[in-house]
Structures are given as structure tokens and as C-alpha cells.
Amino acid sequence: MADISARAAEASVLPFGPSSKVPQYDLGEVFFSCGPNVLHQGSNAPQAAFFPPLQKAMLPTNTFQGKVAFITGGGTGIGKGMTTTLSSLGATCVIASRKLDVLKGTAEEISSKTGNKVHAIQCDVRDPVSVKNAVAEVIKVAGHPDVSVLVKGENFSLHY
């Protein structure tokens, strides 16, 4: 308890005026991660004193039970991470991107990991007809989406 009190006193807010010194932090090396896996973290990076970073979703396991999530760009990167999390929380996920082979592999991987069905649909978000067809396919295979996560985006202008 004494340790917590001492750390709290160190972290107390001080008024900063023209003559006061603003604390400086040596950020050290950069922090790199891939999903929940830390790839690299510098030893001088600042860390929360009392609350370590969470490595799992903060929501109860069945939060999205019976819900349909449509994720564009769900085959890789942050879209894959979001699909994994939504699926682990009970959602039936539908992932979409241009590369169907990548999507199918990701869908199988996440389905086997979470036990929930993940569907793969090919879609080019730059093409309005492709998007319309993808939404129709989502409704056909999983039902109307309750959650839409639009991860995939390029440097292009959509004209609808």
C-alpha cells in the first residue's frame, strides 16, 4: 500500500507556469505490434503505472451473439484483428476484399480459432456495383448486417 501511495504522490498534478519545469520523457525506441502480439518495444517507452495494457476484448464473450458483422478489408491487418475479436465475441462475420484466396484462408483460420462461422466475399470497394453485390451476398449468407466495419480504403474518391 505504501508503494501505491508513493507512486500516486509522484504522479500528482502540478501547476505549470512560466517558471515551472515540464517533465520530459525519453521515449526510447518505437513500439511495434501485430494484433495482440508485441513485436518490439523499447525499454525506455513510458508505461501506465497502475494499468497494464489489455490483451483481450473488454466485452463479455457473447456480446455479439446472434449479430452479423460485415468487415471490408477483413483478410489482413487491423481488419483481420477486428474480425477475430468480433467473432470471438459471438458475431457471424462476413469479410470482404478483392483477394478471395486471402479471404478464404483468413475465414478458415478465424472460424477454427473462435468456433464461429466467418464468410468470405470478394468485393472491390472502389466499384459501386461490386459493393451492391457484396451487400446482397452478405444478406444471403448471413442476414442483414448489425455491424459494419469499413477498414479497407484506398486513396480514391467514391462516387455514389
Side-chain angles (χ1 to χ4, degrees), residues 27-89:
L27 298 181
E29 298 179 41
V30 223
F31 177 85
F32 295 102
S33 66
C34 179
N37 302 321
V38 175
L39 301 176
H40 176 77
Q41 180 176 354
S43 58
N44 296 334
Q47 296 293 308
F50 301 108
F51 305 103
L54 293 175
Q55 298 297 321
K56 62 179 186 151
M58 295 173 61
L59 300 170
T61 305
N62 292 322
T63 301
F64 289 95
Q65 191 70 40
K67 304 292 184 191
V68 174
F70 179 41
I71 302 100
T72 63
T76 60
I78 194 167
K80 181 179 178 181
M82 293 184 79
T83 302
T84 303
T85 300
L86 286 166
S87 182
S88 71
L89 293 172

Side-chain angles (χ1 to χ4, degrees), residues 23 50 77 85 103 122 125 127 147 150 160:
F50 301 108
T85 300
L103 289 175
Q122 190 169 26
V125 296
D127 177 12
V147 178
L150 308 174
Y160 290 106

